[in-house]
Amino acid sequence: MTATAKQITQNPVPSLEAIEGSHTPQGLREIRAMLGDERHTPKHVYTQVLSERERTILCFAAGLKRTDIDKPFSQLSYEQRDALRKAVLELDEIVKAFTSANAMAPAKFYQGAKRTVTSGHFDPANQLPKQH
């Protein structure tokens, strides 16, 4: 066996030791601070960013109960949070499907549909009822 082969078999995995006194660059400290920011959490988005209507849609898509809509995020179980996460991913895939097919234009959605106005005012410019 050669000297190099003996050396590799005797010490196959080099040890990686932290360098004492190493300095964390300012940019990396800022990134770490940003990632740890409360605004970058599902709790913040669910509670502070989403409207009641958006939370209702999300809970419906996740298969949660009506009573869960008014619960703070902190009171949702692991299973409920997992269902919400999966619902967000599924809704994102639906949006991607419509977008990639270039099918998001209102004219494409309403083409061939009968126009009925049950509430609100009809806006002929947008061909949509205005919501109050």
Side-chain angles (χ1 to χ4, degrees):
M1 189 181 298
T2 66
T4 307
K6 283 183 183 178
Q7 190 177 19
I8 290 173
T9 56
Q10 291 174 352
N11 191 9
V13 179
S15 64
L16 300 175
E17 297 177 13
I19 300 172
E20 290 186 31
S22 66
H23 174 71
T24 304
Q26 175 68 25
L28 184 55
R29 286 195 309 265
E30 290 172 1
I31 290 170
R32 284 182 183 160
M34 190 178 358
L35 292 175
D37 188 349
E38 175 71 17
R39 294 174 296 162
H40 300 283
T41 64
K43 175 184 174 184
H44 176 77
V45 173
Y46 185 83
T47 308
Q48 302 296 322
V49 177
L50 297 182
S51 68
E52 183 177 347
R53 182 169 193 260
E54 291 166 331
R55 281 193 303 278
T56 301
I57 291 168
L58 183 57
C59 286
F60 179 80
L64 301 184
K65 298 176 184 172
R66 270 188 188 270
T67 56
D68 296 327
I69 295 168
D70 296 325
K71 283 184 183 178
F73 190 81
S74 59
Q75 290 182 6
L76 296 174
S77 69
Y78 177 91
E79 291 77 12
Q80 290 169 321
R81 292 179 188 194
D82 187 50
L84 288 172
R85 180 184 168 279
K86 289 176 181 176
V88 168
L89 294 172
E90 288 175 13
L91 291 169
D92 183 53
E93 288 301 315
I94 292 169
V95 171
K96 286 178 185 176
F98 277 94
T99 303
S100 68
N102 196 21
M104 287 300 295
K108 291 182 180 180
F109 264 90
Y110 307 120
Q111 184 176 11
K114 293 181 181 179
R115 294 185 202 160
T116 57
V117 179
T118 56
S119 65
H121 302 286
F122 190 74
D123 180 6
N126 290 328
Q127 300 180 359
L128 296 172
K130 289 184 179 178
Q131 294 181 353
H132 294 284

